[in-house]
Amino acid sequence: MLAKFIGIPYSFRKMNCWHFVVLVRKEFNIKTKMFKTRTLEDAFKVITAQMQLINHGLSLVDTPQNFDVVIVEKKKNNRRVFHCGVYYDGGVLHCDNVFKSSRYEPLSEFKKGYEGVTFWR
């Protein structure tokens, strides 16, 4: 089931980590809003603001379930850096600029190097 989502090339404009989240969740009939911004940092400002609106997106949860959105963040050079993926069976499907493609890895590996992790349903 996960194989079709592994190895999709990363592209900020065409397939960044949020595009990938939308793609995966759509495959399982879970509507997720697409946001178009100029930078990934701006995208996460919009995404987190929208997710917190009542009845307008996702809700913060303590414990993830399959297909929840996982967002990690850290500070780098006085700015916040974000990354996201889709939780599935103890791991995270995500499309990463570092690896230049999508992959699946355990949650513990996905969040390494980040200071915060949140789950959204």
Side-chain angles (χ1 to χ4, degrees):
M1 186 203 75
L2 299 181
K4 73 186 288 180
F5 299 110
I6 306 300
I8 297 171
Y10 177 91
S11 165
F12 175 75
R13 297 273 179 234
K14 296 179 183 178
M15 185 58 65
N16 61 42
C17 59
W18 187 257
H19 293 132
F20 185 75
V21 164
V22 172
L23 171 78
V24 171
R25 288 169 54 93
K26 181 179 181 181
E27 181 76 18
F28 295 94
N29 297 315
I30 304 168
K31 187 176 180 180
T32 309
K33 192 169 183 173
M34 179 61 78
F35 302 98
K36 295 188 180 188
T37 57
R38 291 171 24 123
T39 68
L40 205 50
E41 185 176 11
D42 289 344
F44 276 98
K45 287 177 186 174
V46 171
I47 289 164
T48 54
Q50 289 291 317
M51 287 191 309
Q52 295 178 44
L53 295 175
I54 306 259
N55 296 323
H56 191 278
L58 304 171
S59 299
L60 185 64
V61 295
D62 292 327
T63 305
Q65 294 179 2
N66 285 348
F67 307 110
D68 284 352
V69 178
V70 183
I71 296 181
V72 289
E73 66 179 285
K74 64 183 172 184
K75 283 198 103 174
K76 183 177 180 180
N77 299 329
N78 292 325
R79 66 184 186 98
R80 290 173 33 186
V81 176
F82 296 91
H83 185 48
C84 64
V86 176
Y87 182 86
Y88 187 82
D89 283 352
V92 180
L93 279 164
H94 63 107
C95 196
D96 194 337
N97 187 33
V98 173
F99 299 105
K100 303 295 184 212
S101 69
S102 60
R103 59 190 287 147
Y104 176 81
E105 61 187 345
L107 176 61
S108 59
E109 288 297 314
F110 176 76
K111 65 183 187 176
K112 270 189 182 173
Y114 288 93
E115 299 160 3
V117 60
T118 54
F119 307 104
W120 300 83
R121 180 169 315 125

